[in-house]
């Protein structure tokens, strides 16, 4: 399989073309400005690579405008309204791992001044992680829609919902797609900022920094992140249950039991007492990033058990606690590096992270119609988050039948 770095390091070979000579000739005869425009319209690096293989002339045009063309190509799979969130994720991916607390606070401080500017040109070192994340985003968008919309079917008997399934299960609108992509970007940025080594102790300053990062978003945006968290936990519960069920399979029973015993010197992963830690294990798995979560969800059998059990670390629920504004304190005070104390966040110097989706969703307004100020990640809204109420447009909500209910 072609590695992304090849597009930066290899010159396409003229002898390796798979397009016809007439196609290559017609492309080479176009003006350079039009050739560059064609290259900028590619929706993946693999498509771009194929075009560069078709023509040495296109490759020369690419070299002349490399950063600009690659920036367009890496943004193309995403809705234009999520450009800022994509830029923030790409920037966060450049923080060296494992990173210290000073780097995280520096990122948060500079972030407030940069997010009002839309970035159209991105360095190659930032393009690579963002391009790799594009396929992960697409997988999660499809998986999220399938599981969240289907979840509404469970309420039909209890609530007597009158649903129009043809509309309810229709394709995502641009706004719905943008909202889900934004939430995935923000969730993944949290991973880059606060991921810890498996054997590391959790610094309390990271917990406060996590709260400050989420504090950059407005209530409905935080609720979108909470929807992604709840969806992943729901999917991981299915994985955990499948692993337990696999112990009844003759061929897997022995190896799985051995994995469980090797999990900890004192406890067996399959012991009944360990179930109380499952949510904490899931919180830690989420900190490993969406690519790792996707790998867990797509794996099977013994491989899936190895991935889950080896990452079953009882971390404090970072993202859940940060979403709810819970206090993580060391003694009686927050730990914040002195150069990033509260004085660094002066009134008037603070901005929300802005994308081109500066309106509340109809679902969020419906759920909070009698509440002010609007609260985020309220436990009472979990039932609504399970079907992604905050992402859907009004016409889909009407087709679901929920708007007719209190």
């Amino acid at each position: 399989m072609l590695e992304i770095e090849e597009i930066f390091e290899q010159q396409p070979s003229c002898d390796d073309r798979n397009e016809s000579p007439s196609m290559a000739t017609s492309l080479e005869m176009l003006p350079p400005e039009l050739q560059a425009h064609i290259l900028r319209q590619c929706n993946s690096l693999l498509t771009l690579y194929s075009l560069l293989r078709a023509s040495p002339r296109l490759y020369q045009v690419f070299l002349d405008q490399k950063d600009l063309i690659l920036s367009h190509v890496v943004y193309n799979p995403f809705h234009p309204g999520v450009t800022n969130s994509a830029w923030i994720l790409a920037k966060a991916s450049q923080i060296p791992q494992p990173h210290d607390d000073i780097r995280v606070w520096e990122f948060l401080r500079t972030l407030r001044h940069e997010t009002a500017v839309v970035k159209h040109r991105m360095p190659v070192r930032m393009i690579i992680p963002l391009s790799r994340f594009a396929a992960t985003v697409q997988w999660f968008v499809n998986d999220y829609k399938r599981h969240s919309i289907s979840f509404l079917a469970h309420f039909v008997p209890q609530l007597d919902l009158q649903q129009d399934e043809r509309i309810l299960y229709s394709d995502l609108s641009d706004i719905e797609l943008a909202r889900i992509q934004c939430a995935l970007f923000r969730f993944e940025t949290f991973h880059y900022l606060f991921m810890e080594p498996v054997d590391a102790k959790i610094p309390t300053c990271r917990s406060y920094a996590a709260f400050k990062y989420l504090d950059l978003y407005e209530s409905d945006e935080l609720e979108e992140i909470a929807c992604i968290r709840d969806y992943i936990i729901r999917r991981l519960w299915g994985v955990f249950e499948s692993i337990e069920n696999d112990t009844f399979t003759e061929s897997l029973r022995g190896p799985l039991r051995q994995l469980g015993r090797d999990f900890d010197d004192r406890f067996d992963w399959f012991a009944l007492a360990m179930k109380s830690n499952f949510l904490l294990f899931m919180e830690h798995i989420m900190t490993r990033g969406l690519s790792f979560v996707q790998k867990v969800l797509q794996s099977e059998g013994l491989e899936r058990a190895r991935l889950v059990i080896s990452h079953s670390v009882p971390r404090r629920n970072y993202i859940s606690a940060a979403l709810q504004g819970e206090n993580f304190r060391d003694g009686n005070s927050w730990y914040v590096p002195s150069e990033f104390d509260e004085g660094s966040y002066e009134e008037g110097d603070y901005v929300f992270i802005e994308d081109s989706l500066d309106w509340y969703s109809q679902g969020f307004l419906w759920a909070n119609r009698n509440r002010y100020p609007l609260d985020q990640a309220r436990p009472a809204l979990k039932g609504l988050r399970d079907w992604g109420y905050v992402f859907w447009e009004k016409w889909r909500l009407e087709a679901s039948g929920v708007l007719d209910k209190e």
Side-chain angles (χ1 to χ4, degrees):
M1 183 177 178
L2 178 68
E3 290 293 330
I4 292 175
E5 286 85 349
E6 290 188 43
I7 199 169
F8 314 125
E9 298 172 356
Q10 292 185 1
Q11 179 170 352
S13 171
C14 300
D15 299 329
D16 196 29
R17 296 178 189 170
N18 52 15
E19 282 77 10
S20 65
S22 59
M23 180 182 294
T25 302
S26 62
L27 286 171
E28 290 177 346
M29 293 182 65
L30 293 173
E33 297 80 7
L34 187 53
Q35 291 173 333
H37 178 76
I38 291 173
L39 295 178
R40 290 197 298 269
Q41 304 313 304
C42 294
N43 60 2
S44 72
L45 291 182
L46 291 179
T47 303
L48 174 63
Y49 189 75
S50 297
L51 280 176
L52 300 185
R53 287 176 56 195
S55 166
R57 174 58 185 160
L58 287 180
Y59 184 69
Q60 291 303 315
V61 172
F62 167 74
L63 292 179
D64 291 339
Q65 304 183 36
K66 186 175 182 179
D67 286 354
L68 181 61
I69 290 173
L70 287 173
S71 296
H72 276 270
V73 172
V74 79
Y75 279 133
N76 285 342
F78 309 120
H79 187 279
V82 305
T83 301
N84 248 349
S85 292
W87 166 260
I88 292 167
L89 172 64
K91 186 180 179 188
S93 71
Q94 300 305 295
I95 301 177
Q97 298 287 345
H99 50 266
D100 56 36
D101 304 308
I102 298 296
R103 291 182 183 273
V104 174
W105 282 97
E106 179 64 31
F107 177 87
L108 294 177
R109 186 175 69 173
T110 60
L111 188 64
R112 295 172 299 119
H113 301 289
E114 294 190 7
T115 52
V117 181
V118 176
K119 308 295 182 181
H120 292 291
R121 189 184 295 264
M122 187 181 297
V124 169
R125 70 180 185 279
M126 297 171 64
I127 287 172
I128 293 176
L130 191 57
S131 178
R132 287 180 173 147
F133 190 55
T136 300
V137 167
Q138 186 58 51
W139 188 90
F140 273 103
V141 166
N142 295 335
D143 192 71
Y144 183 84
K145 185 207 170 193
R146 182 170 61 254
H147 283 84
S148 299
I149 294 294
S150 298
F151 199 82
L152 278 173
H154 297 296
F155 297 113
V156 172
Q158 298 96 318
L159 302 179
D160 191 29
L161 297 180
Q162 303 299 315
Q163 295 185 339
D164 186 335
E165 293 189 358
R166 181 181 59 85
I167 297 178
L168 181 61
Y169 290 92
S170 60
D171 293 340
L172 294 175
S173 70
D174 284 348
I175 292 176
E176 292 172 335
L177 175 64
R179 285 194 176 116
I180 297 174
Q181 286 182 344
C182 256
L184 290 168
F185 274 120
R186 291 160 178 171
F187 190 94
E188 186 74 356
T189 301
F190 191 96
H191 144 68
Y192 273 114
L193 293 177
F194 306 110
M195 179 179 66
E196 296 285 350
V198 174
D199 57 349
K201 295 181 179 179
I202 302 178
T204 53
C205 56
R206 287 281 177 84
S207 303
Y208 186 40
F211 170 77
K212 295 300 292 185
Y213 164 68
L214 293 178
D215 201 36
L216 294 170
Y217 298 109
E218 298 199 59
S219 297
D220 61 325
E221 296 168 333
L222 292 171
E223 191 67 359
E224 291 170 355
I225 298 173
C227 281
I228 298 297
R229 175 209 54 190
D230 289 357
Y231 145 76
I232 293 176
I233 288 177
R234 190 169 68 251
R235 295 282 277 121
L236 288 176
W237 266 119
V239 171
F240 277 53
E241 290 173 356
S242 295
I243 293 173
E244 290 187 307
N245 292 337
D246 284 343
T247 59
F248 296 99
T249 303
E250 186 67 32
S251 60
L252 295 176
R253 182 181 303 147
L256 285 175
R257 287 298 184 184
Q258 186 61 47
L259 278 175
R261 287 190 293 270
D262 293 342
F263 161 68
D264 190 280
D265 294 338
R266 298 168 297 166
F267 302 105
D268 187 328
W269 193 89
F270 292 100
L272 185 61
M274 293 304 298
K275 286 184 177 293
S276 61
N277 288 316
F278 276 8
L279 271 176
L280 293 179
F281 295 164
M282 293 175 195
E283 290 274 353
H284 176 67
I285 288 173
M286 286 192 291
T287 69
R288 312 313 295 171
L290 288 174
S291 295
F292 181 78
V293 174
Q294 179 185 359
K295 186 177 181 181
V296 169
L297 295 178
Q298 291 182 311
S299 60
E300 296 180 352
L302 198 57
E303 175 61 23
R304 175 175 57 194
R306 286 196 184 99
L307 288 172
V308 169
I309 294 176
S310 64
H311 287 82
S312 291
V313 181
R315 288 290 192 241
R316 263 188 291 189
N317 51 345
Y318 256 160
I319 192 163
S320 296
L323 280 167
Q324 295 165 13
E326 293 181 7
N327 293 348
F328 287 99
R329 295 178 180 269
D330 182 11
N332 296 316
S333 61
W334 293 111
Y335 172 75
V336 183
S338 58
E339 57 268 49
F340 303 112
D341 60 17
E342 291 300 319
S344 301
Y345 296 88
E346 298 176 359
E347 189 71 25
D349 191 38
Y350 183 88
V351 296
F352 284 109
I353 294 177
E354 296 179 354
D355 281 293
S356 301
L357 303 169
D358 53 354
W359 58 88
Y360 289 120
S361 73
Q362 290 295 320
F364 184 77
L365 293 175
W366 166 73
N368 291 274
R369 60 193 179 280
N370 297 320
R371 296 185 61 86
Y372 189 83
L374 302 177
D375 293 335
Q376 71 273 6
R378 286 190 290 134
L381 294 181
K382 184 187 181 304
L384 302 182
R385 289 196 296 268
D386 282 339
W387 51 270
Y389 78 103
V390 76
F391 292 119
W392 314 125
E393 291 203 69
K394 185 176 181 180
W395 53 266
R396 196 184 300 276
L397 293 171
E398 290 173 340
S400 73
V402 297
L403 294 187
D404 297 329
K405 305 294 179 180
E406 288 296 327

